[in-house]
Amino acid sequence: MADETSLPATLAAERSAIEQWQSEHSHWLAPDHGLSPDDAIRAMTLSPFVAETVQREPDAVSGWLFDRALDEPVTPDWLRDRLGEYMATVADEATLHRALRRFRREVMFRVIARDVLRWSALDETMAAVTTLADEAIDAALSWLHDQACEQWGTPWGVDPVTGEESPQHLVVLGMGKLGGCELNVSSDIDLIFAFPAKGETRGGARALDNQQFFARLGQRLIQALDQMTADGFVFRVDMRLRPYGQSGALALSFPAMESYYQDQGREWERYAMVKARVVAGDRRAGERLMESLRPFVYRKYIDFSAFESLRAMKGMISRQVRRKGLQSNIKLGSGGIREIEFVVQAFQLIRGGRDRALQQRHLLDVLPALVELELLPDDVTRELEAAYRFLRTLEHALQGLSDRQTQELPEDDVSQARVALMMGCQDWESCLSALAFHRDRVAHHFANIIASEDDDSQQGDEMDEHWQSIWLGEMDEASACEWLSAQGYENARDSYERLSQLRQSRPVQTMQSEGQRRLYRFMPVLLDALSRVDAPSRTLERVLELVESVLRRTAYLLLLLENPGALRQLVWLCGESPWIARQLAETPLLLDELLNAESLYHPPTRDELQDDLRQQLLRVPLEDLEEQMEVLRHFKKAHVLRVAASELSGTLPLMKVSDYLTWIAEVALDHVVEVAFSNLVSRHGYPRRDDGSACDTDFAIVGYGKLGGIELGYTSDLDLVFLHNADPQLSTDGDRPIDNAVFYTRLGQRIVHILSTQTPSGQLYEVDLRLRPSGNSGLLVSQVQAFEKYQNEDAWTWEHQALARARGVAGCRDTLAAFEGIRRRVLCQQRDRDALRDAVVKMRERMRDNLGSAGDAQAQASEFHIKQDRGGIIDVEFMAQYLMLAWCSDYPALTRYSDNIRQLEALGEVGVLTPDDAQRLREVFITLRSTIHRQALQNRSSRVAPDAFPDERAIIWSYWERIMLADRS
């Protein structure tokens, strides 16, 4: 153990600077402060946060220590009393924010200083920070509730306990470490807001729905805690664990909460609810809510499915660890805090319904119960508890350096020396040794309890000696080529030369020994697997692109070696599609998707997509925009891969392919709006409405073209138009207010940035905004009324054609509904059909001349452009758009759909087309679109042989002549 008074030479410069400052400012420290000069210097040397606090406001720190000496423990009773003194100074919302932040500053100084000096045990530190959060939330909510009632009236509804009408209060549930009374010194807090029942306010200028009242109150509470001011913040607040995540209402009634968890609650939400606790608001009503949710969390029967769901969650975390290089992360890495939590919560979820002793929130209270119930041996729980205490203490040391949330081990010598001393270790090496011991024990127990039986399946080392000899170059060229040919390699000599080039290349020759061993094990296995598919030589060339991309990340080769099924999927998919091969080479992390063939060939529904993205992003702070962007890009690539694999295998027909690709884009766009809006709100506050209330985004994204028509392909860009429904003359309600119009313009810019910026994982989507009013010269974001005025007075015919394929795809429901109303009214305008037809035909002829093969005699003779040439897809689209614009005034129901297939079907149903004509046009349209999808998966354009699709082209052109050219001079 380290000497508690001495400091190593590594910290000599830091100690000297602190001693110099102390000699010049010694007045802040008095004998009755419970802190000797040596201890003060030690604390300030070990924690830059402690030093910065003392040096920035020495008089304030002196006052804190005069009121209560530092050697006194930080108890819940003292915290409640101290907060009461700060709250006595509150006169308005601004002073509320200041009081809460000053209270937090004092408490965190005490907690971190005591922890740094090793004066407080882990239990005291966790209890102090948890009580700080509980009391701050409750005090802020109580004050804000009274103010809200004065402004909007008091919410009334049925009391869940008495069944009688009574005033209602918000219930705040604390999740995660807050719920478990295990907060660390720089935790975020995960909250869920609920209220007892629907109803309205009474006593205000006008009645307000309870849902609106509590949503507005919740927004103010979040701002009181989370908003960064000159005094800092209280806690970063994360609301993403609430029902439906970021897209859900900020506050839900008890019945809505019960209905959600009963009908839609996911397995991972059971895991999250294990620690849920009422931390503020109406605690009596809150306990009734918790009792109603208990059956969702704890099943009456023994539920072994919890193991599988926890394995899936651990797998997701492991992929994140690999992708971000977080192996040294003491929370998420192997043998980290999360694995201990998983072990304990697995037993809680499996047996908690039968054994109420397991229905506890605090992990350290559950471990003894596992021994009493004979679920785990005593020595295992002792090792898990020792590891948990060590890791959580280390976590506090890491965060106590700068009062910053982190679980990453430091890389610089000074920080390492500081952390080692805080842990009571002689030096950093001994600290790492102790850490390695605990992590090894945790990983061992986790593998025994939760890891699946086939997690450690291994590929046998005895490879066919022929494949081994070919890869190592031990077989002469003639014999090697003969063997390859006999195994089905269609271009044996090319394959042999390609393998020789790889083996002799500089990247392979300079690999580290472990990586090279993995490669040399993998290549014979790969060559054998290739012999079982069509065209092994062609497939080898595609797979080697992936192999070359992971030569410095050979963990992926190990993944394929240990999962033969994944290797089979890789070989088959690369053989079927060079496009998929390129995606895997660019993003090797996608190999994880090959581990489960069932999910690979059965892509999730839209709701499941939303849930998957929500789970992935729960571990990423909203303010970490860079990581949000990376997760979004991987989410898109992974699910697009599933769609492509399903199309190739025949499990997904064309119409479903486009549906899934469109859903992926919509789910991503929904989250991009949430992230961008949250980011701007944190800086400038919420845009305001006429009545002074905060906007619920009041923003919408309208999809045009393939996105609007639900016809996205694998490489489609997104044609977008941005709308908002706020008053542009008003401003936001934050500390740095800006005009609403400026806010929404920046929101649009931020959305485009998130979507189109090139990151290490590429673009999310390429964005085209030229279809907005006035095109590139128009405003980036249009106000709803201005958009309708433009459509009625200034839009060209082609813009109304585009509107026929437009629909709202993301954003505020009310704003989306406003757009749909505008679209319906514009499409239903009475039009001169002859003039309309002429305008549409002229536009189509211009496009055909500029974009098709018709304008180039040589190209026309050598190819057919499936989209742009005569008899192609665009002809069908233009016919549908013309008929929509010509007949919606007579048949408003035609406006219901934005996609060509259902528009043609509807035109047949109302009699504009005969049902047979509508069916024939749909069939040829689907045939040509299917070809474009297949072309994309082969890295080919929309140009095919000049004599392709003669029947389909003839059918389309016959309809074009009948509908668009009849009676035309």
Side-chain angles (χ1 to χ4, degrees):
M1 299 296 288
D3 185 334
E4 293 292 320
T5 59
S6 64
L7 291 172
T10 310
L11 298 177
E14 284 69 20
R15 179 182 181 118
S16 177
I18 295 296
E19 288 175 334
Q20 178 63 34
W21 184 89
Q22 174 67 15
S23 68
E24 298 170 0
H25 303 82
S26 58
H27 67 278
W28 74 274
L29 192 59
D32 58 355
H33 285 176
L35 183 67
S36 70
D38 285 344
D39 287 334
I41 290 170
R42 182 181 179 85
M44 294 170 70
T45 302
L46 294 183
S47 170
F49 166 75
V50 171
E52 185 269 338
T53 302
V54 173
Q55 292 171 347
R56 191 174 73 170
E57 30 188 9
D59 292 339
V61 173
S62 183
W64 300 340
L65 300 183
F66 177 80
D67 290 336
R68 185 179 181 85
L70 191 65
D71 55 6
E72 292 288 331
V74 182
T75 64
D77 287 342
W78 177 81
L79 285 165
R80 280 187 281 272
D81 292 343
R82 186 62 173 149
L83 178 58
E85 296 173 20
Y86 278 98
M87 290 298 295
T89 67
V90 174
D92 53 28
E93 207 159 343
T95 52
L96 171 69
H97 287 203
R98 179 171 175 76
L100 292 171
R101 283 152 180 76
R102 296 299 298 171
F103 173 62
R104 191 252 184 205
R105 188 82 170 171
E106 176 181 353
V107 173
M108 293 313 299
F109 171 80
R110 290 182 180 278
V111 169
I112 290 177
R114 286 177 56 78
D115 192 68
V116 164
L117 292 168
R118 299 174 57 78
W119 290 358
S120 59
L122 174 66
D123 296 327
E124 177 192 320
T125 301
M126 293 192 298
V129 182
T130 300
T131 305
L132 162 63
D134 286 356
E135 296 302 320
I137 297 167
D138 199 49
L141 176 60
S142 178
W143 192 92
L144 290 167
H145 177 87
D146 292 344
Q147 296 298 305
C149 290
E150 288 183 18
Q151 184 175 359
W152 303 314
T154 302
W156 281 70
V158 176
D159 187 293
V161 178
T162 66
E164 299 177 356
E165 286 271 323
S166 64
Q168 297 206 343
H169 292 78
L170 190 68
V171 171
V172 181
L173 302 184
M175 311 293 286
K177 286 186 169 62
L178 173 60
C181 301
E182 298 160 345
L183 275 185
N184 54 51
V185 295
S186 296
S187 281
D188 292 353
I189 53 174
D190 296 291
L191 304 180
I192 294 177
F193 297 154
F195 59 94
K198 292 182 178 179
E200 291 184 337
T201 58
R202 301 178 186 177
R206 62 183 180 88
L208 195 65
D209 181 81
N210 282 0
Q211 177 93 49
Q212 292 177 289
F213 177 93
F214 287 113
R216 293 182 184 182
L217 176 59
Q219 287 174 345
R220 290 189 175 181
L221 177 59
I222 292 170
Q223 287 182 322
L225 300 169
D226 185 273
Q227 193 172 64
M228 179 64 74
T229 72
D231 296 299
F233 64 94
V234 189
F235 283 97
R236 290 171 293 268
V237 177
D238 195 330
M239 300 295 299
R240 290 175 292 176
L241 288 178
R242 70 183 188 268
Y244 307 104
Q246 283 290 99
S247 61
L250 193 61
L252 283 180
S253 67
F254 287 7
M257 291 274 288
E258 294 169 32
S259 175
Y260 172 83
Y261 287 111
Q262 178 179 338
D263 299 336
Q264 302 181 53
R266 309 292 198 267
E267 281 298 311
W268 66 265
E269 287 176 303
R270 287 182 63 206
Y271 167 83
M273 288 298 291
V274 165
K275 289 185 178 292
R277 175 173 65 90
V278 180
V279 298
D282 189 338
R283 295 178 184 274
R284 184 190 61 157
E287 290 306 324
R288 177 60 61 92
L289 171 64
M290 294 306 301
E291 194 61 36
S292 71
L293 298 180
R294 189 182 300 275
F296 165 70
V297 184
Y298 298 108
R299 307 285 165 81
K300 292 181 179 179
Y301 51 87
I302 296 178
D303 181 19
F304 285 103
S305 68
F307 275 135
E308 192 57 44
S309 62
L310 287 169
R311 283 187 202 119
M313 291 175 65
K314 175 59 181 174
M316 184 183 296
I317 293 170
S318 296
R319 290 192 290 275
Q320 178 192 14
V321 168
R322 282 199 297 274
R323 177 165 54 84
K324 296 181 67 179
L326 299 179
Q327 285 78 7
S328 65
N329 187 294
I330 64 167
K331 177 180 177 182
L332 302 179
S334 176
I337 296 168
R338 185 55 54 86
E339 288 189 357
I340 302 174
E341 294 172 340
F342 276 3
V343 167
V344 172
Q345 288 174 319
F347 286 107
Q348 289 183 282
L349 292 176
I350 291 165
R351 296 182 176 273
R354 293 281 187 91
D355 299 310
R356 292 186 70 91
L358 297 177
Q359 295 182 18
Q360 303 184 67
R361 301 179 180 96
H362 189 36
L363 182 144
L364 292 174
D365 291 338
V366 180
L367 285 172
L370 295 176
V371 176
E372 292 171 12
L373 295 169
E374 299 183 348
L375 297 174
L376 281 179
D378 184 56
D379 61 328
V380 171
T381 60
R382 282 202 306 272
E383 288 188 347
L384 289 175
E385 178 177 352
Y388 183 78
R389 289 185 178 280
F390 182 89
L391 290 167
R392 290 302 309 275
T393 302
L394 177 56
E395 183 181 38
H396 289 160
L398 297 175
Q399 297 179 356
L401 292 173
S402 301
D403 187 21
R404 183 175 65 87
Q405 186 175 35
T406 182
Q407 286 88 21
E408 287 290 319
L409 297 176
E411 297 181 357
D412 64 283
D413 293 343
V414 170
S415 296
Q416 290 174 352
R418 284 168 165 159
V419 171
L421 287 173
M422 289 188 225
M423 294 298 294
C425 296
Q426 192 67 39
D427 50 37
W428 182 240
E429 287 69 27
S430 59
C431 184
L432 287 180
S433 177
L435 172 62
F437 170 79
H438 287 298
R439 291 183 69 167
D440 178 69
R441 300 316 301 151
V442 172
H444 172 75
H445 296 312
F446 178 82
N448 286 342
I449 296 167
I450 289 183
S452 59
E453 293 179 3
D454 58 357
D455 278 353
D456 295 320
S457 62
Q458 295 185 0
Q459 179 72 19
D461 291 330
E462 295 183 6
M463 305 298 177
D464 187 291
E465 64 182 28
H466 286 90
W467 294 123
Q468 191 84 3
S469 297
I470 287 173
W471 165 243
L472 294 175
E474 296 171 348
M475 192 182 295
D476 65 80
E477 182 174 343
S479 300
C481 290
E482 182 181 352
W483 170 261
L484 288 169
S485 294
Q487 302 307 313
Y489 281 74
E490 73 278 17
N491 293 306
R493 188 167 301 280
D494 290 346
S495 296
Y496 177 81
E497 291 176 355
R498 185 70 176 86
L499 289 168
S500 298
Q501 290 170 4
L502 174 63
R503 187 180 63 253
Q504 296 166 12
S505 67
R506 180 171 176 78
V508 170
Q509 295 299 315
T510 57
M511 291 177 72
Q512 294 182 351
S513 57
E514 179 60 30
Q516 196 171 75
R517 278 196 296 272
R518 289 175 179 175
L519 175 66
Y520 276 50
R521 281 183 59 204
F522 174 74
M523 288 305 300
V525 179
L526 171 64
L527 294 172
D528 182 53
L530 287 166
S531 69
R532 294 174 172 80
V533 300
D534 296 334
S537 293
R538 183 186 65 192
T539 307
L540 171 66
E541 186 62 38
R542 295 172 182 175
V543 176
L544 288 187
E545 192 175 355
L546 165 67
V547 172
E548 289 171 333
S549 73
V550 300
L551 290 178
R552 292 291 179 268
R553 297 172 287 175
T554 55
Y556 291 112
L557 300 181
L558 188 61
L559 180 149
L560 293 168
L561 280 168
E562 294 182 347
N563 294 275
L567 178 60
R568 286 193 296 272
Q569 303 304 329
L570 169 70
V571 169
W572 184 79
L573 288 170
C574 290
E576 293 294 312
S577 169
W579 182 83
I580 288 181
R582 162 104 316 248
Q583 296 300 304
L584 292 168
E586 290 178 349
T587 311
L589 188 63
L590 292 175
L591 291 172
D592 283 327
E593 302 302 319
L594 310 185
L595 296 174
N596 187 333
E598 183 177 349
S599 64
L600 177 64
Y601 296 108
H602 294 87
T605 65
R606 193 184 193 286
D607 287 344
E608 289 168 342
L609 282 168
Q610 281 183 312
D611 188 58
D612 181 40
L613 181 59
R614 181 181 167 200
Q615 286 192 63
Q616 291 188 41
L617 289 165
L618 279 174
R619 281 169 288 280
V620 183
L622 274 173
E623 63 270 15
D624 189 351
L625 187 58
E626 181 179 341
E627 181 59 16
Q628 292 267 343
M629 290 165 67
E630 286 298 299
V631 170
L632 282 164
R633 280 152 177 76
H634 178 72
F635 166 82
K636 178 206 172 183
K637 287 185 175 185
H639 285 291
V640 169
L641 173 65
R642 291 190 189 184
V643 174
S646 300
E647 182 174 15
L648 288 171
S649 68
T651 60
L652 210 59
L654 167 72
M655 298 301 293
K656 290 296 183 181
V657 169
S658 289
D659 284 352
Y660 276 102
L661 293 173
T662 303
W663 291 342
I664 292 167
E666 290 175 353
V667 169
L669 286 171
D670 262 333
H671 184 73
V672 169
V673 172
E674 292 161 6
V675 170
F677 188 79
S678 173
N679 184 273
L680 283 173
V681 165
S682 69
R683 299 183 181 190
H684 305 292
Y686 288 86
R688 285 182 297 186
R689 300 191 181 105
D690 290 336
D691 63 358
S693 63
C695 291
D696 180 20
T697 76
D698 288 13
F699 175 87
I701 296 181
V702 177
Y704 277 68
K706 287 186 174 64
L707 176 60
I710 319 176
E711 296 167 359
L712 279 185
Y714 294 106
T715 58
S716 297
D717 60 6
L718 302 184
D719 293 296
L720 305 179
V721 169
F722 300 146
L723 301 177
H724 76 86
N725 203 16
D727 188 335
Q729 304 303 316
L730 297 178
S731 60
T732 60
D733 63 4
D735 290 340
R736 293 182 290 169
I738 55 176
D739 291 343
N740 284 352
V742 175
F743 179 94
Y744 284 108
T745 297
R746 293 184 183 176
L747 178 60
Q749 292 168 338
R750 183 57 56 90
I751 289 170
V752 172
H753 170 77
I754 295 172
L755 291 172
S756 60
T757 295
Q758 286 285 354
T759 74
S761 299
Q763 278 186 320
L764 185 55
Y765 287 98
E766 189 171 337
V767 176
D768 192 332
L769 300 169
R770 290 175 294 177
L771 288 174
R772 69 184 187 269
S774 302
N776 284 338
S777 62
L779 295 173
L780 183 63
V781 185
S782 299
Q783 207 270 345
V784 167
Q785 287 82 0
F787 178 80
E788 182 166 21
K789 184 175 185 293
Y790 176 86
Q791 293 293 335
N792 289 328
E793 299 177 9
D794 300 313
W796 296 82
T797 299
W798 65 264
E799 291 179 285
H800 286 175
Q801 286 179 247
L803 197 63
R805 297 187 69 197
R807 64 189 178 88
V809 294
C812 167
R813 291 192 182 123
D814 291 342
T815 309
L816 291 169
F819 163 75
E820 294 299 341
I822 295 169
R823 176 179 178 270
R824 185 168 53 251
R825 290 190 291 273
V826 172
L827 294 184
C828 288
Q829 290 174 3
Q830 196 79 36
R831 291 175 172 85
D832 181 323
R833 290 173 184 150
D834 290 336
L836 171 65
R837 183 171 55 190
D838 285 345
V840 173
V841 169
K842 287 178 182 176
M843 172 59 72
R844 178 69 189 110
E845 290 173 346
R846 193 178 310 128
M847 287 179 64
R848 198 179 289 130
D849 290 341
N850 292 333
L851 302 174
S853 304
D856 184 336
Q858 183 176 356
Q860 190 174 10
S862 62
E863 64 187 19
F864 168 65
H865 196 304
I866 299 174
K867 293 174 62 178
Q868 298 294 347
D869 280 349
R870 194 173 89 164
I873 283 178
I874 302 297
D875 285 344
V876 181
E877 293 180 351
F878 268 53
M879 281 189 278
Q881 292 161 17
Y882 161 71
L883 294 172
M884 289 281 291
L885 293 176
W887 293 98
C888 278
S889 57
D890 291 1
Y891 305 105
L894 292 173
T895 64
R896 180 178 178 185
Y897 301 115
S898 62
D899 59 289
N900 289 294
I901 296 297
R902 288 186 294 182
Q903 285 178 351
L904 289 169
E905 185 178 5
L907 288 164
E909 289 173 351
V910 301
V912 174
L913 295 172
T914 68
D916 286 345
D917 288 342
Q919 178 65 20
R920 291 184 76 191
L921 281 170
R922 291 204 308 276
E923 288 174 355
V924 294
F925 183 79
I926 289 173
T927 298
L928 295 181
R929 272 193 56 211
S930 297
T931 302
I932 288 179
H933 276 280
R934 289 194 297 271
Q935 291 283 101
L937 290 176
Q938 299 304 319
N939 279 342
R940 297 174 188 155
S941 72
S942 299
R943 300 177 187 272
V944 294
D947 56 351
F949 306 108
D951 295 338
E952 288 82 1
R953 291 156 68 177
I955 290 170
I956 292 171
W957 190 249
S958 69
Y959 282 110
W960 182 268
E961 289 184 317
R962 187 200 314 173
I963 295 171
M964 306 303 296
L965 302 183
D967 304 322
R968 186 168 184 252
S969 55

